[in-house]
């Protein structure tokens, strides 16, 4: 079939776009408001952008807040920093809890029963239960062109200035044991996937 995303097709229950670009890593973004309130929210429009300098991006949709911004976006633009915490099989339920729409004064880390950890180079806290944390400094935000305010998305770019890795995930060869880590990725609808020994395979680049 052929589908135009701007047009409703009765053959499909939902727009299939986000069910086709899969799996997508989840950026579990922690930030701190200028008044000290901790915010934690998952973003599945998330990925690495480049290697030097190491840079990540996530895309924030519109919000019912007065300024139309999600708390993560507002906090990052005002404070200039955030942490991307890795979501794993062990924390996926808590990640889902932090996706709830709650007032800006709500501490989602406390709401999900998670433990804040101080970062090394920035003030935004890390999630202690996550095995990997990327400390990021805000680079810039980019408005994605849209047809109406409710469709507004803002891409946030952050330079990774510090990386925390749980020691037991580092092999004797100095590599990361991804299967042991069991990261979770977003599929379409309400579906997710994970990487483990059964789903991981290796391909070597040709010379």
């Amino acid at each position: 079939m052929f589908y135009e995303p701007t047009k409703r097709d009765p053959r499909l229950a939902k727009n299939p776009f986000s069910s086709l670009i899969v799996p997508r890593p989840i950026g579990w973004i922690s930030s701190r408001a200028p008044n000290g309130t901790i915010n934690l929210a998952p973003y599945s429009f998330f990925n690495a952008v480049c290697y030097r300098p190491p840079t990540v991006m996530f895309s924030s949709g519109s919000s019912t807040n007065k300024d139309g911004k999600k708390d993560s976006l507002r906090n990052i633009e005002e404070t200039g920093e955030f942490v991307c915490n890795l979501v794993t099989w062990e924390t996926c339920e808590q990640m889902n809890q932090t996706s709830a729409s709650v007032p800006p004064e709500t501490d989602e880390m406390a709401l999900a029963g998670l433990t804040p950890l101080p970062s090394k180079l920035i003030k935004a806290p890390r999630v202690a239960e996550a095995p990997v944390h990327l400390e990021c400094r805000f680079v810039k935000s980019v408005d994605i062109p849209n047809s109406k305010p409710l469709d507004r998305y803002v891409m946030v770019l952050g330079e990774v200035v510090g990386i925390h890795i749980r020691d037991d995930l580092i092999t004797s060869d100095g590599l990361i044991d991804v299967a042991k880590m069991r990261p979770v990725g977003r599929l379409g609808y309400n579906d997710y996937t994970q990487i483990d020994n059964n789903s991981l395979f290796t391909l070597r680049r040709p010379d």
Side-chain angles (χ1 to χ4, degrees):
M1 68 176 297
F2 174 70
Y3 176 81
E4 293 183 70
T6 58
K7 298 179 181 179
R8 183 78 175 88
D9 191 317
R11 295 172 295 173
L12 296 171
K14 293 184 177 181
N15 185 331
F17 172 72
S18 61
S19 302
L20 300 172
I21 311 300
V22 293
R24 299 190 305 279
I26 302 169
W28 207 10
I29 307 298
S30 55
S31 60
R32 186 190 296 272
N35 66 6
T37 302
I38 294 174
N39 179 264
L40 178 65
Y43 292 87
S44 63
F45 288 120
F46 165 83
N47 219 315
V49 176
C50 60
Y51 198 63
R52 293 188 183 88
T55 304
V56 294
M57 64 72 64
F58 74 92
S59 189
S60 174
S62 61
S63 166
T64 56
N65 292 327
K66 290 182 179 179
D67 59 3
K69 295 181 180 181
K70 289 186 179 292
D71 301 331
S72 302
L73 175 60
R74 186 187 317 103
N75 291 348
I76 292 167
E77 289 183 335
E78 291 182 359
T79 65
E81 57 185 35
F82 64 95
V83 177
C84 175
N85 306 274
L86 183 71
V87 178
T88 64
W89 176 256
E90 289 77 14
T91 58
C92 62
E93 289 290 344
Q94 290 161 305
M95 174 277 295
N96 192 43
Q97 289 179 349
T98 63
S99 68
S101 296
V102 294
E105 62 271 16
T106 304
D107 181 337
E108 287 93 349
M109 211 176 286
L111 184 68
L114 297 164
T115 310
L117 273 182
S119 294
K120 294 287 186 182
L121 303 175
I122 63 177
K123 294 181 180 179
R126 299 176 284 143
V127 175
E129 289 77 6
V132 174
H133 319 105
L134 310 178
E135 295 188 22
C136 301
R137 290 211 171 97
F138 176 57
V139 175
K140 66 177 179 178
S141 53
V142 180
D143 268 274
I144 307 300
N146 60 78
S147 57
K148 51 187 176 181
L150 288 178
D151 292 335
R152 184 191 185 213
Y153 274 83
V154 178
M155 181 176 64
V156 177
L157 292 165
E159 180 181 347
V160 179
V161 295
I163 301 175
H164 303 259
I165 307 168
R166 202 172 67 201
D167 290 342
D168 68 302
L169 297 178
I170 302 174
T171 69
S172 58
D173 296 325
L175 304 176
I176 305 300
D177 190 338
V178 177
K180 184 177 182 180
M181 191 190 314
R182 297 180 76 185
V184 168
R186 182 71 189 274
L187 302 177
Y189 314 121
N190 292 320
D191 299 328
Y192 293 80
T193 187
Q194 66 161 323
I195 296 174
D196 57 21
N197 280 318
N198 294 319
S199 61
L200 191 150
F201 64 95
T202 300
L203 291 175
R204 298 191 182 280
R205 292 184 181 183
D207 294 333

mmCIF file of all heavy atoms in Angstrom, residues 130-171:
data_model
loop_
_atom_site.group_PDB
_atom_site.id
_atom_site.type_symbol
_atom_site.label_atom_id
_atom_site.label_comp_id
_atom_site.label_asym_id
_atom_site.label_seq_id
_atom_site.Cartn_x
_atom_site.Cartn_y
_atom_site.Cartn_z
ATOM 1 N N ALA A 130 19.894 3.462 36.716
ATOM 2 C CA ALA A 130 20.328 3.285 35.324
ATOM 3 C C ALA A 130 21.819 2.953 35.298
ATOM 4 O O ALA A 130 22.592 3.547 36.042
ATOM 5 C CB ALA A 130 20.052 4.546 34.511
ATOM 6 N N PRO A 131 22.252 2.022 34.439
ATOM 7 C CA PRO A 131 23.663 1.619 34.424
ATOM 8 C C PRO A 131 24.580 2.549 33.639
ATOM 9 O O PRO A 131 25.795 2.458 33.754
ATOM 10 C CB PRO A 131 23.615 0.243 33.772
ATOM 11 C CG PRO A 131 22.458 0.330 32.832
ATOM 12 C CD PRO A 131 21.446 1.201 33.522
ATOM 13 N N VAL A 132 23.992 3.425 32.836
ATOM 14 C CA VAL A 132 24.784 4.345 32.020
ATOM 15 C C VAL A 132 24.140 5.725 32.064
ATOM 16 O O VAL A 132 22.914 5.848 31.994
ATOM 17 C CB VAL A 132 24.870 3.864 30.549
ATOM 18 C CG1 VAL A 132 25.559 4.905 29.671
ATOM 19 C CG2 VAL A 132 25.600 2.528 30.457
ATOM 20 N N HIS A 133 24.974 6.761 32.204
ATOM 21 C CA HIS A 133 24.494 8.149 32.189
ATOM 22 C C HIS A 133 25.388 8.977 31.279
ATOM 23 O O HIS A 133 26.613 8.840 31.312
ATOM 24 C CB HIS A 133 24.539 8.776 33.596
ATOM 25 C CG HIS A 133 24.098 7.869 34.691
ATOM 26 N ND1 HIS A 133 24.981 7.287 35.562
ATOM 27 C CD2 HIS A 133 22.862 7.446 35.049
ATOM 28 C CE1 HIS A 133 24.312 6.550 36.427
ATOM 29 N NE2 HIS A 133 23.023 6.610 36.136
ATOM 30 N N LEU A 134 24.769 9.823 30.473
ATOM 31 C CA LEU A 134 25.499 10.762 29.630
ATOM 32 C C LEU A 134 25.240 12.168 30.151
ATOM 33 O O LEU A 134 24.115 12.667 30.071
ATOM 34 C CB LEU A 134 25.040 10.654 28.170
ATOM 35 C CG LEU A 134 24.989 9.260 27.540
ATOM 36 C CD1 LEU A 134 24.458 9.347 26.114
ATOM 37 C CD2 LEU A 134 26.357 8.600 27.570
ATOM 38 N N GLU A 135 26.257 12.790 30.705
ATOM 39 C CA GLU A 135 26.118 14.183 31.144
ATOM 40 C C GLU A 135 26.254 15.084 29.920
ATOM 41 O O GLU A 135 27.228 14.970 29.165
ATOM 42 C CB GLU A 135 27.184 14.542 32.181
ATOM 43 C CG GLU A 135 27.059 13.772 33.478
ATOM 44 C CD GLU A 135 28.005 14.296 34.553
ATOM 45 O OE1 GLU A 135 28.452 15.472 34.458
ATOM 46 O OE2 GLU A 135 28.304 13.536 35.497
ATOM 47 N N CYS A 136 25.271 15.951 29.705
ATOM 48 C CA CYS A 136 25.228 16.751 28.478
ATOM 49 C C CYS A 136 25.118 18.244 28.768
ATOM 50 O O CYS A 136 24.406 18.653 29.688
ATOM 51 C CB CYS A 136 24.030 16.339 27.624
ATOM 52 S SG CYS A 136 24.033 14.597 27.137
ATOM 53 N N ARG A 137 25.808 19.017 27.935
ATOM 54 C CA ARG A 137 25.631 20.466 27.939
ATOM 55 C C ARG A 137 24.836 20.856 26.701
ATOM 56 O O ARG A 137 25.103 20.390 25.598
ATOM 57 C CB ARG A 137 26.986 21.183 27.960
ATOM 58 C CG ARG A 137 27.703 21.015 29.297
ATOM 59 C CD ARG A 137 28.587 22.217 29.638
ATOM 60 N NE ARG A 137 29.072 22.104 31.008
ATOM 61 C CZ ARG A 137 30.266 21.622 31.352
ATOM 62 N NH1 ARG A 137 31.096 21.232 30.402
ATOM 63 N NH2 ARG A 137 30.627 21.547 32.618
ATOM 64 N N PHE A 138 23.852 21.681 26.914
ATOM 65 C CA PHE A 138 22.946 22.122 25.862
ATOM 66 C C PHE A 138 23.710 22.836 24.760
ATOM 67 O O PHE A 138 24.512 23.728 25.017
ATOM 68 C CB PHE A 138 21.901 23.045 26.496
ATOM 69 C CG PHE A 138 20.929 23.667 25.534
ATOM 70 C CD1 PHE A 138 20.144 22.898 24.696
ATOM 71 C CD2 PHE A 138 20.783 25.048 25.493
ATOM 72 C CE1 PHE A 138 19.237 23.477 23.824
ATOM 73 C CE2 PHE A 138 19.879 25.645 24.631
ATOM 74 C CZ PHE A 138 19.102 24.855 23.792
ATOM 75 N N VAL A 139 23.484 22.439 23.510
ATOM 76 C CA VAL A 139 24.091 23.084 22.347
ATOM 77 C C VAL A 139 23.118 24.089 21.746
ATOM 78 O O VAL A 139 23.401 25.283 21.664
ATOM 79 C CB VAL A 139 24.508 22.044 21.287
ATOM 80 C CG1 VAL A 139 25.021 22.737 20.028
ATOM 81 C CG2 VAL A 139 25.566 21.108 21.847
ATOM 82 N N LYS A 140 21.954 23.599 21.347
ATOM 83 C CA LYS A 140 20.904 24.484 20.841
ATOM 84 C C LYS A 140 19.620 23.688 20.636
ATOM 85 O O LYS A 140 19.622 22.457 20.632
ATOM 86 C CB LYS A 140 21.311 25.150 19.537
ATOM 87 C CG LYS A 140 21.476 24.227 18.342
ATOM 88 C CD LYS A 140 21.817 25.053 17.091
ATOM 89 C CE LYS A 140 22.024 24.161 15.878
ATOM 90 N NZ LYS A 140 22.296 24.964 14.666
ATOM 91 N N SER A 141 18.520 24.409 20.467
ATOM 92 C CA SER A 141 17.251 23.768 20.125
ATOM 93 C C SER A 141 16.814 24.265 18.758
ATOM 94 O O SER A 141 17.058 25.418 18.397
ATOM 95 C CB SER A 141 16.184 24.053 21.185
ATOM 96 O OG SER A 141 16.047 25.437 21.419
ATOM 97 N N VAL A 142 16.190 23.377 18.004
ATOM 98 C CA VAL A 142 15.791 23.678 16.632
ATOM 99 C C VAL A 142 14.305 23.381 16.475
ATOM 100 O O VAL A 142 13.862 22.243 16.701
ATOM 101 C CB VAL A 142 16.585 22.831 15.622
ATOM 102 C CG1 VAL A 142 16.165 23.166 14.194
ATOM 103 C CG2 VAL A 142 18.088 23.037 15.802
ATOM 104 N N ASP A 143 13.528 24.391 16.091
ATOM 105 C CA ASP A 143 12.112 24.182 15.843
ATOM 106 C C ASP A 143 11.924 23.438 14.523
ATOM 107 O O ASP A 143 12.460 23.855 13.490
ATOM 108 C CB ASP A 143 11.384 25.526 15.778
ATOM 109 C CG ASP A 143 10.839 25.953 17.133
ATOM 110 O OD1 ASP A 143 9.728 25.546 17.470
ATOM 111 O OD2 ASP A 143 11.552 26.688 17.854
ATOM 112 N N ILE A 144 11.168 22.347 14.565
ATOM 113 C CA ILE A 144 10.847 21.607 13.356
ATOM 114 C C ILE A 144 9.632 22.271 12.701
ATOM 115 O O ILE A 144 8.636 22.531 13.379
ATOM 116 C CB ILE A 144 10.528 20.137 13.673
ATOM 117 C CG1 ILE A 144 11.660 19.509 14.500
ATOM 118 C CG2 ILE A 144 10.287 19.353 12.398
ATOM 119 C CD1 ILE A 144 13.003 19.519 13.843
ATOM 120 N N PRO A 145 9.679 22.585 11.406
ATOM 121 C CA PRO A 145 8.520 23.207 10.754
ATOM 122 C C PRO A 145 7.256 22.379 10.959
ATOM 123 O O PRO A 145 7.288 21.148 10.891
ATOM 124 C CB PRO A 145 8.930 23.249 9.274
ATOM 125 C CG PRO A 145 10.422 23.252 9.297
ATOM 126 C CD PRO A 145 10.812 22.409 10.469
ATOM 127 N N ASN A 146 6.142 23.068 11.233
ATOM 128 C CA ASN A 146 4.889 22.365 11.471
ATOM 129 C C ASN A 146 3.734 23.164 10.902
ATOM 130 O O ASN A 146 3.865 24.353 10.588
ATOM 131 C CB ASN A 146 4.680 22.124 12.967
ATOM 132 C CG ASN A 146 4.629 23.430 13.751
ATOM 133 O OD1 ASN A 146 3.618 24.128 13.765
ATOM 134 N ND2 ASN A 146 5.738 23.773 14.393
ATOM 135 N N SER A 147 2.586 22.498 10.776
ATOM 136 C CA SER A 147 1.412 23.142 10.189
ATOM 137 C C SER A 147 0.489 23.765 11.224
ATOM 138 O O SER A 147 -0.329 24.601 10.890
ATOM 139 C CB SER A 147 0.628 22.121 9.350
ATOM 140 O OG SER A 147 0.267 21.016 10.149
ATOM 141 N N LYS A 148 0.620 23.355 12.491
ATOM 142 C CA LYS A 148 -0.212 23.926 13.544
ATOM 143 C C LYS A 148 0.501 23.787 14.891
ATOM 144 O O LYS A 148 1.330 22.880 15.067
ATOM 145 C CB LYS A 148 -1.583 23.247 13.586
ATOM 146 C CG LYS A 148 -1.556 21.744 13.643
ATOM 147 C CD LYS A 148 -2.963 21.170 13.507
ATOM 148 C CE LYS A 148 -2.930 19.644 13.472
ATOM 149 N NZ LYS A 148 -4.274 19.061 13.312
ATOM 150 N N PRO A 149 0.198 24.669 15.849
ATOM 151 C CA PRO A 149 0.913 24.680 17.131
ATOM 152 C C PRO A 149 0.920 23.336 17.857
ATOM 153 O O PRO A 149 1.921 22.977 18.483
ATOM 154 C CB PRO A 149 0.152 25.735 17.942
ATOM 155 C CG PRO A 149 -0.418 26.649 16.913
ATOM 156 C CD PRO A 149 -0.766 25.774 15.743
ATOM 157 N N LEU A 150 -0.172 22.579 17.781
ATOM 158 C CA LEU A 150 -0.230 21.296 18.474
ATOM 159 C C LEU A 150 0.745 20.280 17.900
ATOM 160 O O LEU A 150 1.059 19.275 18.538
ATOM 161 C CB LEU A 150 -1.655 20.733 18.420
ATOM 162 C CG LEU A 150 -2.700 21.448 19.293
ATOM 163 C CD1 LEU A 150 -4.067 20.815 19.105
ATOM 164 C CD2 LEU A 150 -2.290 21.403 20.773
ATOM 165 N N ASP A 151 1.222 20.532 16.674
ATOM 166 C CA ASP A 151 2.189 19.637 16.041
ATOM 167 C C ASP A 151 3.622 20.109 16.227
ATOM 168 O O ASP A 151 4.536 19.606 15.574
ATOM 169 C CB ASP A 151 1.897 19.515 14.538
ATOM 170 C CG ASP A 151 0.600 18.776 14.268
ATOM 171 O OD1 ASP A 151 0.192 17.969 15.128
ATOM 172 O OD2 ASP A 151 -0.013 19.017 13.209
ATOM 173 N N ARG A 152 3.843 21.074 17.108
ATOM 174 C CA ARG A 152 5.185 21.629 17.279
ATOM 175 C C ARG A 152 6.124 20.609 17.933
ATOM 176 O O ARG A 152 5.815 20.011 18.954
ATOM 177 C CB ARG A 152 5.132 22.883 18.161
ATOM 178 C CG ARG A 152 6.499 23.547 18.298
ATOM 179 C CD ARG A 152 6.511 24.621 19.370
ATOM 180 N NE ARG A 152 7.793 25.328 19.393
ATOM 181 C CZ ARG A 152 8.345 25.817 20.494
ATOM 182 N NH1 ARG A 152 7.721 25.721 21.640
ATOM 183 N NH2 ARG A 152 9.513 26.440 20.435
ATOM 184 N N TYR A 153 7.262 20.413 17.302
ATOM 185 C CA TYR A 153 8.340 19.609 17.881
ATOM 186 C C TYR A 153 9.617 20.442 17.877
ATOM 187 O O TYR A 153 9.878 21.201 16.935
ATOM 188 C CB TYR A 153 8.569 18.323 17.083
ATOM 189 C CG TYR A 153 7.669 17.194 17.499
ATOM 190 C CD1 TYR A 153 6.374 17.096 17.002
ATOM 191 C CD2 TYR A 153 8.095 16.230 18.405
ATOM 192 C CE1 TYR A 153 5.538 16.065 17.387
ATOM 193 C CE2 TYR A 153 7.271 15.183 18.797
ATOM 194 C CZ TYR A 153 5.988 15.111 18.286
ATOM 195 O OH TYR A 153 5.159 14.093 18.674
ATOM 196 N N VAL A 154 10.396 20.300 18.944
ATOM 197 C CA VAL A 154 11.671 21.007 19.064
ATOM 198 C C VAL A 154 12.781 19.981 19.270
ATOM 199 O O VAL A 154 12.717 19.155 20.191
ATOM 200 C CB VAL A 154 11.646 21.995 20.244
ATOM 201 C CG1 VAL A 154 13.002 22.683 20.373
ATOM 202 C CG2 VAL A 154 10.539 23.022 20.062
ATOM 203 N N MET A 155 13.761 19.999 18.387
ATOM 204 C CA MET A 155 14.901 19.112 18.520
ATOM 205 C C MET A 155 15.944 19.761 19.424
ATOM 206 O O MET A 155 16.357 20.898 19.201
ATOM 207 C CB MET A 155 15.516 18.816 17.150
ATOM 208 C CG MET A 155 16.706 17.864 17.224
ATOM 209 S SD MET A 155 17.377 17.418 15.596
ATOM 210 C CE MET A 155 17.960 19.016 15.014
ATOM 211 N N VAL A 156 16.353 19.032 20.444
ATOM 212 C CA VAL A 156 17.346 19.521 21.402
ATOM 213 C C VAL A 156 18.662 18.800 21.147
ATOM 214 O O VAL A 156 18.706 17.563 21.109
ATOM 215 C CB VAL A 156 16.883 19.271 22.850
ATOM 216 C CG1 VAL A 156 17.957 19.713 23.841
ATOM 217 C CG2 VAL A 156 15.571 19.988 23.124
ATOM 218 N N LEU A 157 19.734 19.556 20.978
ATOM 219 C CA LEU A 157 21.065 18.994 20.787
ATOM 220 C C LEU A 157 21.896 19.223 22.042
ATOM 221 O O LEU A 157 21.889 20.315 22.612
ATOM 222 C CB LEU A 157 21.757 19.643 19.594
ATOM 223 C CG LEU A 157 21.157 19.341 18.218
ATOM 224 C CD1 LEU A 157 21.685 20.324 17.185
ATOM 225 C CD2 LEU A 157 21.476 17.919 17.803
ATOM 226 N N GLY A 158 22.595 18.173 22.473
ATOM 227 C CA GLY A 158 23.445 18.297 23.644
ATOM 228 C C GLY A 158 24.789 17.622 23.429
ATOM 229 O O GLY A 158 24.849 16.509 22.879
ATOM 230 N N GLU A 159 25.869 18.281 23.829
ATOM 231 C CA GLU A 159 27.203 17.680 23.759
ATOM 232 C C GLU A 159 27.442 16.836 25.000
ATOM 233 O O GLU A 159 27.247 17.287 26.127
ATOM 234 C CB GLU A 159 28.289 18.753 23.651
ATOM 235 C CG GLU A 159 29.696 18.155 23.586
ATOM 236 C CD GLU A 159 30.786 19.198 23.499
ATOM 237 O OE1 GLU A 159 30.467 20.380 23.244
ATOM 238 O OE2 GLU A 159 31.963 18.831 23.693
ATOM 239 N N VAL A 160 27.853 15.597 24.782
ATOM 240 C CA VAL A 160 28.138 14.695 25.895
ATOM 241 C C VAL A 160 29.515 15.047 26.469
ATOM 242 O O VAL A 160 30.538 14.883 25.803
ATOM 243 C CB VAL A 160 28.110 13.224 25.435
ATOM 244 C CG1 VAL A 160 28.428 12.302 26.607
ATOM 245 C CG2 VAL A 160 26.750 12.883 24.833
ATOM 246 N N VAL A 161 29.523 15.535 27.711
ATOM 247 C CA VAL A 161 30.780 15.968 28.332
ATOM 248 C C VAL A 161 31.280 14.984 29.379
ATOM 249 O O VAL A 161 32.406 15.098 29.870
ATOM 250 C CB VAL A 161 30.621 17.372 28.957
ATOM 251 C CG1 VAL A 161 30.354 18.406 27.873
ATOM 252 C CG2 VAL A 161 29.514 17.403 30.008
ATOM 253 N N GLY A 162 30.437 14.012 29.735
ATOM 254 C CA GLY A 162 30.840 13.003 30.712
ATOM 255 C C GLY A 162 29.977 11.758 30.580
ATOM 256 O O GLY A 162 28.787 11.862 30.330
ATOM 257 N N ILE A 163 30.603 10.585 30.712
ATOM 258 C CA ILE A 163 29.890 9.313 30.592
ATOM 259 C C ILE A 163 30.165 8.445 31.815
ATOM 260 O O ILE A 163 31.327 8.241 32.188
ATOM 261 C CB ILE A 163 30.318 8.559 29.316
ATOM 262 C CG1 ILE A 163 30.049 9.395 28.067
ATOM 263 C CG2 ILE A 163 29.593 7.208 29.219
ATOM 264 C CD1 ILE A 163 30.557 8.766 26.773
ATOM 265 N N HIS A 164 29.107 7.954 32.443
ATOM 266 C CA HIS A 164 29.224 7.027 33.564
ATOM 267 C C HIS A 164 28.781 5.645 33.086
ATOM 268 O O HIS A 164 27.705 5.506 32.503
ATOM 269 C CB HIS A 164 28.323 7.451 34.727
ATOM 270 C CG HIS A 164 28.598 8.838 35.231
ATOM 271 N ND1 HIS A 164 29.327 9.081 36.382
ATOM 272 C CD2 HIS A 164 28.214 10.050 34.749
ATOM 273 C CE1 HIS A 164 29.386 10.397 36.588
ATOM 274 N NE2 HIS A 164 28.727 10.996 35.607
ATOM 275 N N ILE A 165 29.576 4.616 33.350
ATOM 276 C CA ILE A 165 29.256 3.240 32.960
ATOM 277 C C ILE A 165 29.439 2.338 34.172
ATOM 278 O O ILE A 165 30.499 2.375 34.821
ATOM 279 C CB ILE A 165 30.169 2.744 31.820
ATOM 280 C CG1 ILE A 165 30.154 3.717 30.636
ATOM 281 C CG2 ILE A 165 29.751 1.340 31.365
ATOM 282 C CD1 ILE A 165 31.240 3.446 29.607
ATOM 283 N N ARG A 166 28.442 1.545 34.495
ATOM 284 C CA ARG A 166 28.571 0.615 35.610
ATOM 285 C C ARG A 166 29.702 -0.367 35.320
ATOM 286 O O ARG A 166 29.779 -0.940 34.219
ATOM 287 C CB ARG A 166 27.252 -0.130 35.819
ATOM 288 C CG ARG A 166 27.086 -0.719 37.224
ATOM 289 C CD ARG A 166 25.690 -1.269 37.401
ATOM 290 N NE ARG A 166 25.503 -2.434 36.527
ATOM 291 C CZ ARG A 166 24.318 -2.879 36.142
ATOM 292 N NH1 ARG A 166 23.217 -2.250 36.516
ATOM 293 N NH2 ARG A 166 24.223 -3.950 35.356
ATOM 294 N N ASP A 167 30.586 -0.567 36.282
ATOM 295 C CA ASP A 167 31.820 -1.311 36.051
ATOM 296 C C ASP A 167 31.601 -2.726 35.539
ATOM 297 O O ASP A 167 32.387 -3.224 34.716
ATOM 298 C CB ASP A 167 32.645 -1.372 37.355
ATOM 299 C CG ASP A 167 33.230 -0.014 37.730
ATOM 300 O OD1 ASP A 167 33.287 0.863 36.847
ATOM 301 O OD2 ASP A 167 33.615 0.165 38.896
ATOM 302 N N ASP A 168 30.534 -3.409 35.987
ATOM 303 C CA ASP A 168 30.350 -4.798 35.591
ATOM 304 C C ASP A 168 29.932 -4.951 34.130
ATOM 305 O O ASP A 168 29.877 -6.070 33.607
ATOM 306 C CB ASP A 168 29.330 -5.491 36.501
ATOM 307 C CG ASP A 168 27.920 -4.946 36.307
ATOM 308 O OD1 ASP A 168 27.729 -3.721 36.488
ATOM 309 O OD2 ASP A 168 27.017 -5.729 35.977
ATOM 310 N N LEU A 169 29.660 -3.847 33.448
ATOM 311 C CA LEU A 169 29.299 -3.888 32.038
ATOM 312 C C LEU A 169 30.511 -3.771 31.120
ATOM 313 O O LEU A 169 30.384 -3.854 29.904
ATOM 314 C CB LEU A 169 28.308 -2.768 31.710
ATOM 315 C CG LEU A 169 26.953 -2.847 32.420
ATOM 316 C CD1 LEU A 169 26.099 -1.644 32.048
ATOM 317 C CD2 LEU A 169 26.234 -4.144 32.088
ATOM 318 N N ILE A 170 31.697 -3.587 31.705
ATOM 319 C CA ILE A 170 32.920 -3.457 30.909
ATOM 320 C C ILE A 170 33.660 -4.780 30.920
ATOM 321 O O ILE A 170 33.971 -5.330 31.982
ATOM 322 C CB ILE A 170 33.810 -2.333 31.464
ATOM 323 C CG1 ILE A 170 33.052 -1.009 31.474
ATOM 324 C CG2 ILE A 170 35.084 -2.195 30.633
ATOM 325 C CD1 ILE A 170 33.805 0.129 32.128
ATOM 326 N N THR A 171 33.919 -5.332 29.732
ATOM 327 C CA THR A 171 34.578 -6.628 29.630
ATOM 328 C C THR A 171 36.074 -6.506 29.891
ATOM 329 O O THR A 171 36.630 -5.396 29.964
ATOM 330 C CB THR A 171 34.362 -7.233 28.232
ATOM 331 O OG1 THR A 171 35.101 -6.459 27.269
ATOM 332 C CG2 THR A 171 32.886 -7.240 27.861
#
